[in-house]
Amino acid sequence: MRITRRDFLKYCSITAGALGLSSGTLLKIDQALALNGGTPVVWLAGAACTGCTMTLTNSIYYTDIASLLLGTLDLKFHDTLMAQAGDEALSAAHDATADGEVFVLCVEGAVPTAAAGAYCTIGDVANISNETMYENTVALAKKAALVLSIGQCACFGGIPAAKGSQTGSMGVLDACKLKYGKSSADYKKILKKTINIPGCPPNPDWIVGTIATFLTSGMPRLDSFKRPLDYYGQTHCFSCTRYASQNTRDNFASKFDGQYATEVDQLANKAKCLKQLGCKGRVTKTDCPVRLWNGATKGEVGVNYCVTAGFPCHGCTQPGFPDKFSPFVKVT
Amino acid sequence: MATLIIDPLTRIEGHLKVVVMTNGSNVVTEAQMCGTLFRGFENILKGRAPRDASVITQRICGV
C-alpha cells in the first residue's frame, strides 16, 4: 500500500500542531510535492546511533534541512524521518530502487556481516522474511548512481567494528568488497561512485556541501580514502588555534583547562597545545578548527568543537578510529 | 485473532519491530517489541583504557 500525496498532506495537517509547522510550511510541502523534482535519495541506517541524521538536520551554513529536503532532495526512504512505517515504508524503498530507477544511496552506520548479516535487519518483508542491512547495502550500492557513506561507521566501520566486536561490522566499501570480491567488476564500479564523508558525526557542512558539489559540478576531488579534499585536505593541526598560538616548541599543556582553579589560568591554558594529553590532530585530516560546530546563522561558521572545548582530538575522521587512536586521553 | 507486524517502525531512533496481536473485535491483546540491531558495546569496551569509555559509550545513541 502506498501513501498518496493527498494522504501525506492530510497527515501533515493533522501533525502540524505537534510539529510546530506553520501554514506556510505546509504550502512549501505542497509546492515541493507538486514539483515532483529533486534527486531521489534512499537513506539506510545500519549499526548506527542516528547521530549522522541529527547532524544533517542541524544543517545551517549552506541551507537548512527543510529547504534541502523540500527543494533539493527527494527522500524516498529514511526510517527516522519518513511518514510511512512497516510495509508501506519498505515498499517506498523498493519502488525507489526498482531496476531502471536513478537514486542516490546514503548509508549511515556500519554494515554487520557476521551471521549472514543477522545482527542488523532493516525490515520485515510482508511478514515473511527479514531484510538484512548487509544484503540491502550491497545490492543497492550496485544499483545506485552515487553512494554516500555518511559518518565514520559507514566509511570505515567505526565503533561497531572496534576490537572486541562480534558482529563483523565494516564500512560500506569493505562490505561490497566482501560480497563481490576485490577484483570483480561490480566492486570496481561501486568504488568509482562512492564518496566517504567520515566523522563521528560529520559536520553538516561536509554532507550538504558534498551533495551540493555533486549536484552542481559532479564528483568532487577525493583523497585516497575517498574523502572530499575540500573538507579533508589538511591535518587538524594546520589550522588549530592551540597549535598556531605556540611560541616555543615546549608550549604543551600538562593539564586540562578545567583542572585549573581560576579563569585566568584556564584561559592561559587554552593557548597551549594538547598533544601531550593525547591529541591526535597531527594525523587527522579535517577542517574542524576553521569550520567549527553548532552554528546558528546561515553563512556563518560554528561556535565550538572538541579542541577549543579542551578535549583532545580523537581522530574520528581517520580510518582505524577508535582502536588506532586509543587511549584518547593521556594522563601522566 | 489477527497478528500485525510493523517493521521497520519509523520516526524513532534505531531499529524496532513491533508485533501486535488483536482479538476478533480489533482490541489489542498482546504486544511485543524487538530491537533489530545488536552492536555489543559491552564487548567493545572490554580491555580498554577507562577514560575511553566516555568517548565510546556516548556513541550508543546520537539523538
Side-chain angles (χ1 to χ4, degrees):
Chain A
M1 194 181 101
R2 290 191 63 179
I3 284 202
T4 62
R5 177 170 166 268
R6 192 180 162 79
D7 289 338
F8 183 65
L9 288 174
K10 210 165 110 191
Y11 165 80
C12 288
S13 50
I14 292 166
T15 54
L19 294 171
L21 296 174
S22 65
S23 57
T25 314
L26 284 177
L27 192 68
K28 266 160 78 183
I29 293 175
D30 196 7
Q31 284 167 348
L33 283 168
L35 277 174
N36 200 20
T39 310
V41 173
V42 174
W43 180 297
L44 293 182
C49 68
T50 319
C52 299
T53 297
M54 294 311 291
T55 194
L56 180 66
T57 54
N58 282 332
S59 171
I60 194 100
Y61 184 81
Y62 294 109
T63 178
D64 60 68
I65 186 67
S67 325
L68 186 77
L69 292 183
L70 293 175
T72 318
L73 304 178
D74 184 5
L75 204 56
K76 298 283 191 189
F77 181 85
H78 185 310
D79 64 13
T80 308
L81 298 176
M82 74 191 304
Q84 304 99 309
D87 288 350
E88 291 156 17
L90 280 182
S91 63
H94 291 155
D95 289 349
T97 59
D99 289 337
E101 296 285 340
V102 177
F103 65 96
V104 171
L105 175 69
C106 291
V107 183
E108 164 186 20
V111 184
T113 58
Y119 285 111
C120 179
T121 61
I122 58 169
D124 187 343
V125 195
N127 306 343
I128 299 168
S129 66
N130 286 320
E131 286 198 20
T132 66
M133 179 65 188
Y134 178 41
E135 67 189 40
N136 268 276
T137 306
V138 294
L140 296 189
K142 202 166 138 182
K143 288 186 189 175
L146 170 72
V147 181
L148 282 177
S149 302
I150 295 176
Q152 167 66 231
C153 303
C155 296
F156 311 121
I159 287 172
K163 192 170 158 248
S165 167
Q166 295 159 335
T167 57
S169 293
M170 51 180 76
V172 175
L173 278 176
D174 287 338
C176 292
K177 196 195 279 179
L178 181 74
K179 175 76 181 178
Y180 299 120
K182 196 183 172 183
S183 47
S184 68
D186 284 336
Y187 176 64
K188 282 176 185 163
K189 269 187 207 161
I190 293 168
L191 200 59
K192 267 188 196 157
K193 61 188 178 189
T194 298
I195 303 177
N196 282 338
I197 309 177
C200 197
N203 194 304
D205 299 350
W206 303 341
I207 307 173
V208 177
T210 304
I211 294 172
T213 309
F214 181 80
L215 290 177
T216 51
S217 51
M219 206 70 168
R221 291 183 307 135
L222 304 175
D223 69 4
S224 58
F225 294 115
K226 314 288 288 178
R227 300 177 293 192
L229 281 170
D230 292 350
Y231 307 107
Y232 304 91
Q234 303 285 358
T235 60
H236 169 274
C237 289
F238 185 79
S239 46
C240 177
T241 49
R242 282 177 177 259
Y243 186 80
S245 62
Q246 274 186 245
N247 296 318
T248 55
R249 285 177 65 86
D250 58 352
N251 193 16
F252 293 114
S254 57
K255 283 200 268 185
F256 290 103
D257 304 345
Q259 288 176 296
Y260 290 94
T262 67
E263 207 170 316
V264 176
D265 288 344
Q266 285 177 8
L267 273 175
N269 200 54
K270 275 190 185 295
K272 292 182 178 176
C273 176
L274 291 175
K275 182 173 179 276
Q276 290 183 345
L277 295 171
C279 189
K280 310 298 188 301
R282 283 171 195 231
V283 292
T284 305
K285 295 281 183 72
T286 174
D287 66 356
C288 290
V290 284
R291 187 168 298 280
L292 300 173
W293 289 65
N294 305 340
T297 316
K298 192 174 175 183
E300 283 183 9
V301 295
V303 291
N304 205 357
Y305 80 111
C306 310
V307 173
T308 46
F311 192 81
C313 171
H314 41 274
C316 70
T317 62
Q318 288 299 109
F321 172 84
D323 292 343
K324 202 174 154 191
F325 302 105
S326 183
F328 302 122
V329 178
K330 271 189 213 157
V331 179
T332 45
Chain B
M1 184 83 181
T3 305
L4 175 69
I5 301 180
I6 305 170
D7 184 20
L9 186 72
T10 54
R11 279 160 282 134
I12 54 156
E13 190 284 318
H15 301 67
L16 195 68
K17 174 180 186 169
V18 181
V19 182
V20 182
M21 274 143 270
T22 56
N23 64 16
S25 47
N26 273 349
V27 173
V28 175
T29 53
E30 202 179 332
Q32 297 170 347
M33 294 207 175
C34 167
T36 64
L37 164 66
F38 175 79
R39 285 171 293 179
F41 270 77
E42 298 86 348
N43 299 330
I44 292 166
L45 282 169
K46 273 183 200 162
R48 277 178 202 275
R51 287 180 184 85
D52 284 6
S54 71
V55 171
I56 290 174
T57 54
Q58 64 179 268
R59 266 77 178 189
I60 289 173
C61 178
V63 174

